[in-house]
Amino acid sequence: MNAFLFTPKPFYGSMQIKKGIIERISPSRFPKRIDRLVLPGFISTHIHTIQTHARNTAENLELLDWLKKKIWPFEASLTKKTAYASSFTGMRECLEFGITTILDMATTRHTHSVFEAARDSGIRAFIGKALMDQGPKSLIEKDPLSEVFDLLADWHGFDNKRLQVTLSPRFALSCSEKLLREAGRLSNELKLIQHSHISENLKECEWIEEHFGFSNVELLNEVGSLNDLSVLAHSVHVSKKDIALLKKNGCSISHCPVSNLKLASGIADIKRLSALNLSLGVDGAACNNLLDPFFEMRMAHLLSRSLHGLKGVSAENIFKMATVGGARALHSEKQFGTLQVGKEADYLVVNVPERVYFNPKFPYESLLHSIVASNIESVFVKGRRVFTC
Ligand SMILES: [Zn+2]
């Protein structure tokens, strides 16, 4: 099958897959009109699939009220069965919209159910139990890390590394310094991805400054929790000093433009953060409220343009954030994230609608601004078909 291939240097051609691996990519003659695209699967480096069934229930609230009034009570009400169902719905939605890999933060209980949902949905997933030893009584635990060892034994590396366990300290407000320090230590020792939220909302940042005399990033740096396995969502309110500390520690950022706008958190200026490895996150259905990477990319591009005009982050770089940047954040760029021979075949086939002229001279702009998730024909993870429209 010939298509316009979004390889690192896009061109028109065909791609052969053998046993889940990209075996060959070869060029073909350009047709008069491009009617089909093949893209690497999108990677969402920040999501809470367990919150999917809370969609459209937590509206018009800022982060801390949103958590306290709606999300934490929702999470506390989940059972094994409903946790599975909510996560499974979110994962199927991701696949339908072209996301083949997720970095998923669960809640403090039922993480096994989230892994079961990932096993059954076919998605590639890095999943962490939310670590909380401060905050609402209905969720916090005395020793949140103890269960992580069971999760590692049961799930880490499942299906030839399709599923992996991460450490997910929820955010500085819900973790003691001891817990943050321990999570950092375990991450270094066991080489596990650390997934957390950082400097999302101004009130959250002010609370941390007041109580610790440090910024959010300085606090995490101080307790030794930051490392090159850290993937930090949001980073809306960060200083120059914060950015330098994130750079020094080799942290990756998950930019979540739609969630940041919807929870009235603000705009993360990704041009300012461009010294760091940047990736993209759709966040949860309770704050987005769609898990759509096409919309996320378009928003990221337009927001950067609104801040910097034509000098904002380019469409090509936004696309890279949503693909190879995510793979880099997950230390998996040798395994997936681009269409290249030898990599695992996580990809999607997209039909270009009749009414759209897809311009190969501007492939990234054409993709971001004239293609939508409903144009997807089929989605593959490790060469297995996981969605067909
Ligand atoms: Zn989040």
Side-chain angles (χ1 to χ4, degrees):
M1 177 187 70
N2 287 326
F4 188 82
L5 306 173
F6 275 78
T7 49
K9 279 191 182 156
F11 66 98
Y12 197 78
S14 62
M15 184 168 89
Q16 272 89 48
I17 314 292
K18 199 176 173 188
K19 290 185 179 163
I21 305 289
I22 302 174
E23 192 186 40
R24 208 155 73 97
I25 298 177
S26 36
S28 319
R29 227 162 53 130
F30 250 102
K32 275 195 184 135
R33 183 181 171 278
I34 291 169
D35 61 1
R36 189 168 268 156
L37 316 171
V38 174
L39 311 172
F42 292 111
I43 299 168
S44 176
T45 51
H46 184 60
I47 194 167
H48 306 261
T49 59
I50 206 163
Q51 293 171 8
T52 308
H53 286 175
R55 186 186 342 245
N56 302 337
T57 66
E59 296 302 319
N60 309 318
L61 295 166
E62 283 199 30
L63 178 70
L64 297 179
D65 282 339
W66 177 82
L67 284 169
K68 285 179 198 160
K69 292 184 181 166
K70 298 288 179 182
I71 299 308
W72 285 340
F74 169 80
E75 289 185 5
S77 76
L78 289 166
T79 62
K80 262 187 194 176
K81 216 171 151 187
T82 55
Y84 175 93
S86 192
S87 299
F88 188 78
T89 307
M91 289 165 187
R92 291 304 307 168
E93 178 171 331
C94 284
L95 294 171
E96 182 179 335
F97 291 166
I99 295 171
T100 52
T101 298
I102 51 173
L103 176 56
D104 194 2
M105 186 183 292
T107 182
T108 54
R109 288 189 291 273
H110 314 307
T111 311
H112 281 281
S113 303
V114 182
F115 272 101
E116 284 165 9
R119 174 195 65 199
D120 298 347
S121 70
I123 202 162
R124 191 189 286 280
F126 292 65
I127 299 167
K129 158 198 168 116
L131 305 174
M132 299 173 73
D133 62 356
Q134 290 179 0
K137 282 201 179 74
S138 55
L139 285 179
I140 60 170
E141 298 172 300
K142 264 197 183 134
D143 183 13
L145 282 165
S146 60
E147 198 195 355
V148 171
F149 296 97
D150 296 337
L151 294 168
L152 282 167
D154 289 352
W155 294 107
H156 199 52
F158 178 87
D159 190 14
N160 205 4
K161 286 167 87 175
R162 179 165 67 84
L163 304 186
Q164 296 192 42
V165 175
T166 67
L167 293 162
S168 302
R170 188 158 202 151
F171 69 154
L173 293 191
S174 65
C175 300
S176 63
E177 287 181 51
K178 182 173 166 259
L179 178 56
L180 292 170
R181 186 175 298 120
E182 273 297 288
R185 191 185 61 76
L186 265 185
S187 162
N188 283 325
E189 206 175 289
L190 303 175
K191 301 288 167 237
L192 297 176
I193 297 293
Q194 278 201 94
H195 178 201
S196 193
H197 299 90
I198 207 164
S199 306
E200 176 175 358
N201 173 284
L202 216 48
K203 281 186 196 132
E204 163 213 350
C205 296
E206 283 166 6
W207 193 95
I208 290 169
E209 291 258 11
E210 246 170 57
H211 285 76
F212 298 99
F214 287 124
S215 75
N216 208 325
V217 177
E218 285 167 352
L219 173 67
L220 295 186
N221 180 62
E222 201 63 26
V223 299
S225 118
L226 298 178
N227 62 12
D228 68 342
L229 293 149
S230 302
V231 184
L232 303 165
H234 305 294
S235 304
V236 179
H237 306 285
V238 285
S239 67
K240 263 190 180 173
K241 189 179 171 194
D242 291 337
I243 298 171
L245 284 173
L246 294 168
K247 171 80 183 154
K248 193 183 109 197
N249 285 290
C251 305
S252 289
I253 299 300
S254 180
H255 179 43
C256 305
V258 178
S259 152
N260 291 342
L261 288 174
K262 187 141 186 308
L263 289 180
S265 301
I267 298 172
D269 182 355
I270 46 174
K271 196 177 175 194
R272 270 182 87 222
L273 300 169
S274 56
L276 308 169
N277 178 50
L278 296 177
S279 59
L280 213 61
V282 292
D283 210 339
C287 61
N288 184 314
N289 298 355
L290 275 174
L291 311 175
D292 179 350
F294 289 86
F295 187 57
E296 213 70 39
M297 287 195 296
R298 189 170 307 130
M299 189 62 85
H301 190 222
L302 295 175
L303 280 177
S304 192
R305 194 160 274 189
S306 80
L307 294 174
H308 299 284
L310 293 177
K311 291 189 174 134
V313 176
S314 68
E316 178 175 357
N317 283 336
I318 298 285
F319 173 81
K320 287 182 174 163
M321 284 170 63
T323 53
V324 67
R328 249 179 237 135
L330 299 170
H331 287 236
S332 302
E333 68 269 36
K334 287 189 183 140
Q335 203 187 335
F336 57 87
T338 52
L339 301 181
Q340 282 176 295
V341 171
K343 290 211 182 173
E344 296 192 13
D346 292 7
Y347 67 100
L348 41 148
V349 180
V350 174
N351 287 317
V352 179
E354 275 290 324
R355 63 186 160 71
V356 174
Y357 164 62
F358 189 93
N359 189 347
K361 285 186 187 149
F362 297 110
Y364 299 103
E365 289 79 359
S366 296
L367 178 71
L368 264 61
H369 299 292
S370 67
I371 299 295
V372 291
S374 58
N375 301 142
I376 294 174
E377 180 192 295
S378 42
V379 180
F380 299 81
V381 173
K382 285 173 165 278
R384 298 173 198 147
R385 191 186 294 266
V386 285
F387 172 75
T388 312
C389 79

